[in-house]
Amino acid sequence: MTGVRAPRRRVGRMSGGRAVLIALVSTIVFFGVIGWVVVNSPGWPAVQRSFLDPAEFRDALPDSIARFRINVQLFLIAEVLILVVGLLLAVLRSLPGPVFFPIRALAVAYVDIFRALPGILVIFVLGFGVPALRIPGVPKDPFFWAVVALTLVYSAYVSEVYRAGIESVHPSQEAAARSLGLSRFQALRFVILPQAVRRVVPPLLNDFIGLQKDTVLVSFIGVVEVFRTAQNKQAAHFNWTPYLATALIFILVTIPLARLTDWLIARDRRTQARGGVR
Amino acid sequence: MSAPVALRIEGVHKSFGKLEVLKGVDLEVGEHEVVCLIGASGSGKSTLLRCINLLEPIDAGRIIVEGEEITAPAADVDAIRRRIGIVFQAFNLFPHMSVLANITLAPIRVLRRPRARAEADASELLERFGLADKRDDFPDRLSGGQQQRLAIIRALAMEPDLLLLDEVTSALDPELVAEVLEIIRELAGQGMTMVIATHEMGFAREIADRVCFLDAGVILEQGPPDRIFGSPTEPRTRQFLARIVAAGRL
Ligand SMILES: Nc1ncnc2c1ncn2[C@@H]1O[C@H](COP(=O)(O)OP(=O)(O)OP(=O)(O)O)[C@@H](O)[C@H]1O
Ligand SMILES: [Mg+2]
């Protein structure tokens, strides 16, 4: 990423027209050479047939986009739950005093365990294992278990992000709130959390990006979403191009979100450098 | 003493780990009295004020406000803090709230005042202390002096019986000190009971009914400002004041 940005800044320092011309020529030559080498390498026709088949692409793209809706739904539902459960965990973990020790311990154990487990394991166990118990009243819908699994895994990460945010608010803020007669809970709700949440928006967005991509993992328990669609097509046509369509969709959705995150982080850093609101 | 007692501190001890900061502090503050705490840096002035507001638990002793022992184990800490305002050296304003919201937060949430009334009261205070035009700004847009005035207003909005001020001018540029001291003067004139930790000896001399010199964890000497500053009896008080004079602060 820095590799892309640095030259651009250097271009800016040179006299306008000439710099653009040099950059243009250099880019054309650079990618021209790479392109020529790739296209003339012995394996190229096979690669082209298998990965870059235009007919396959035209066939796969509409279905993939349609199926991507499932990923988006999964993402949106899980994200809301993750934000709520993560916050709850962070708050439980910061409960003071010996009375709350069991609750704190439980929250710590939860976070430790679900951060240690590979997401795919949790998805498998919940998606296949639990429905197989055939307990009456327990849902069998893989989409349901996909949401549960992603929420369990990601809320552990997100609670740590929240906790870092809560701890980054200076203790004098709590002292000021308590000195006005606010209870511990009121101080947390009106003074600490609003400041903490504002600070953790960029790292939370980073976790969102991870979640967005991890929605494909639930294809393994039979949720027919975008990745599963590509798999089915690949298996039927012996051609890998459908995966290209899936990749393209993720690239188009994720890059803007990643850029937004970078921008927010950079803005935060500028605010801090200015000695702004801490 | 005939005047009713607002605050009584009896044998208060406070340690941070091995460091014993307060070693048996006794102090009585009458209603409408202004008491200034002076003493070297690190002598425990802030610690004492924080103990009075129960922001620090004490190790031994008792603190009694308006006849109620606030250090009793069953005391309602939140209810007590409502009656004792504290203003910190570093303002500690809420940066995510407007000036108005900083002031009305506690009256609305703690005293359960209707928002409209809390805002009307806050506007009146802002008017009185010359911040009416900053009502909707955020604290980081205010000057240091304005921020400290806002911190005082925020404490006053709870209509405390007792106001604790902890070196409220020491984070300010010299030209901003006067505007904050003016407010404290006004509050004293209105009969607000105050305990003020300060390095501004000239101000302490002018405003205090009584000056207490805190040294080595106890109040070594106390009395009317003229006597403490004019003819201190304790050698250590004399030493401290001589250093202050040498530094040009008296
Ligand atoms: N939370 C704390 N933990 C450990 N030590 C502390 C804490 N608060 C204060 N102290 C120590 O207690 C002593 C008294 O501190 P305090 O802030 O009360 O002094 P002060 O008289 O207000 O000084 P100053 O005039 O510099 O404000 C100092 O040695 C300080 O380092
Ligand atoms: Mg201090």
Side-chain angles (χ1 to χ4, degrees):
Chain A
M1 253 170 10
T2 44
V4 177
R5 266 181 221 157
R8 215 188 286 155
R9 235 177 271 136
R10 231 170 282 140
V11 167
R13 259 188 253 124
M14 270 191 260
S15 62
R18 219 172 89 89
V20 172
L21 193 71
I22 294 174
L24 200 69
V25 171
S26 139
T27 307
I28 290 171
V29 170
F30 181 71
F31 287 106
V33 168
I34 290 185
W36 188 87
V37 169
V38 168
V39 171
N40 288 288
S41 60
W44 175 245
V47 169
Q48 202 179 16
R49 231 178 297 120
S50 199
F51 286 91
L52 302 169
D53 185 327
E56 283 291 341
F57 188 80
R58 274 195 301 274
D59 170 62
L61 192 62
D63 283 355
S64 300
I65 290 173
R67 280 299 169 184
F68 188 63
R69 259 192 46 218
I70 304 283
N71 296 71
V72 172
Q73 273 172 16
L74 187 60
F75 171 79
L76 290 177
I77 296 172
E79 188 56 59
V80 171
L81 291 172
I82 288 162
L83 287 173
V84 173
V85 175
L87 182 60
L88 193 70
L89 282 169
V91 169
L92 290 181
R93 245 186 118 159
S94 58
L95 286 177
V99 188
F100 293 111
F101 178 78
I103 292 180
R104 278 198 304 269
L106 204 66
V108 171
Y110 176 102
V111 170
D112 279 351
I113 289 170
F114 282 104
R115 281 201 307 174
L117 293 175
I120 189 74
L121 188 147
V122 178
I123 291 169
F124 252 74
V125 168
L126 289 180
F128 285 139
V130 176
L133 296 174
R134 294 171 195 284
I135 300 169
V138 171
K140 293 194 173 58
D141 180 12
F143 186 87
F144 172 85
W145 289 110
V147 169
V148 172
L150 288 175
T151 303
L152 286 175
V153 171
Y154 270 86
S155 59
Y157 284 98
V158 165
S159 87
E160 285 299 283
V161 173
Y162 277 127
R163 202 165 66 96
I166 289 172
E167 280 171 9
S168 78
V169 178
H170 197 270
S172 65
Q173 284 288 310
E174 190 183 0
R178 300 301 305 278
S179 77
L180 290 165
L182 271 74
S183 68
R184 205 177 270 276
F185 179 77
Q186 286 176 320
L188 189 66
R189 165 153 172 230
F190 297 115
V191 176
I192 314 288
L193 279 183
Q195 297 182 60
V197 167
R198 222 158 287 196
R199 279 176 214 186
V200 298
V201 166
L204 281 181
L205 282 176
N206 256 332
D207 280 346
F208 284 14
I209 293 170
L211 174 67
Q212 198 174 30
K213 293 186 295 181
D214 275 358
T215 56
V216 302
L217 292 179
V218 309
S219 64
F220 292 106
I221 57 170
V223 178
V224 184
E225 41 66 77
V226 65
F227 183 67
R228 185 55 170 260
T229 305
Q231 255 179 326
N232 290 345
K233 284 188 189 295
Q234 185 268 329
H237 306 174
F238 302 105
N239 190 288
W240 293 84
T241 310
Y243 287 117
L244 188 74
T246 303
L248 200 69
I249 292 171
F250 273 98
I251 287 171
L252 288 180
V253 173
T254 305
I255 288 181
L257 187 54
R259 280 296 144 87
L260 175 69
T261 308
D262 291 349
W263 180 77
L264 283 173
I265 291 172
R267 195 192 57 174
D268 267 21
R269 222 172 267 144
R270 277 198 300 275
T271 314
Q272 266 165 26
R274 256 191 283 118
V277 190
R278 15 161 306 112
Chain B
M1 249 196 235
S2 53
V5 177
L7 167 72
R8 192 160 73 234
I9 299 171
E10 295 173 357
V12 164
H13 288 253
K14 172 71 190 175
S15 303
F16 294 108
K18 283 204 181 102
L19 177 70
E20 193 175 18
V21 179
L22 304 179
K23 302 175 183 170
V25 172
D26 297 298
L27 178 66
E28 214 171 82
V29 180
E31 266 174 34
H32 311 301
E33 199 183 6
V34 176
V35 169
C36 282
L37 283 178
I38 61 170
S41 185
S43 58
K45 303 181 294 294
S46 303
T47 304
L48 181 58
L49 295 184
R50 291 172 63 87
C51 287
I52 298 173
N53 202 32
L54 303 181
L55 287 171
E56 297 285 355
I58 61 174
D59 302 327
R62 303 203 306 160
I63 301 175
I64 294 143
V65 173
E66 307 278 344
E68 187 194 343
E69 189 193 341
I70 64 172
T71 44
D76 179 350
V77 174
D78 294 333
I80 290 157
R81 291 212 186 95
R82 255 171 252 169
R83 295 157 44 198
I84 308 175
I86 186 165
V87 181
F88 305 93
Q89 178 175 351
F91 324 145
N92 298 357
L93 298 169
F94 305 132
H96 61 299
M97 292 182 183
S98 70
V99 165
L100 187 68
N102 261 277
I103 302 171
T104 57
L105 175 70
I108 292 173
R109 300 295 167 185
V110 178
L111 302 178
R112 309 246 160 247
R113 297 236 166 107
R115 179 173 295 275
R117 176 166 163 220
E119 291 186 347
D121 291 349
S123 300
E124 206 181 297
L125 283 168
L126 287 168
E127 192 76 48
R128 204 169 114 204
F129 294 111
L131 287 177
D133 57 324
K134 304 293 180 194
R135 206 182 111 115
D136 301 313
D137 281 340
F138 280 78
D140 65 338
R141 305 293 300 272
L142 306 184
S143 75
Q146 291 169 334
Q147 291 191 31
Q148 193 55 292
R149 276 189 278 164
L150 173 57
I152 295 173
I153 293 173
R154 184 175 67 176
L156 289 176
M158 291 298 284
E159 295 165 6
D161 300 329
L162 172 65
L163 191 60
L164 311 173
L165 302 175
D166 189 4
E167 288 178 39
V168 291
T169 56
S170 60
L172 300 179
D173 294 335
E175 70 268 24
L176 300 176
V177 168
E179 63 183 68
V180 172
L181 295 186
E182 185 50 43
I183 286 185
I184 302 172
R185 228 172 255 131
E186 193 185 322
L187 292 174
Q190 288 160 5
M192 173 66 78
T193 312
M194 288 188 281
V195 180
I196 305 173
T198 186
H199 286 296
E200 303 275 344
M201 298 301 157
F203 177 68
R205 186 167 199 163
E206 168 207 329
I207 201 170
D209 297 312
R210 191 148 43 98
V211 174
C212 300
F213 175 58
L214 195 60
D215 182 69
V218 296
I219 292 178
L220 188 64
E221 185 169 8
Q222 56 178 305
D226 284 340
R227 193 184 69 65
I228 297 290
F229 291 116
S231 51
T233 50
E234 296 288 336
R236 290 195 53 94
T237 317
R238 251 178 267 145
Q239 221 176 43
F240 170 73
L241 290 173
R243 266 208 307 276
I244 298 273
V245 172
R249 298 191 67 165
L250 186 67

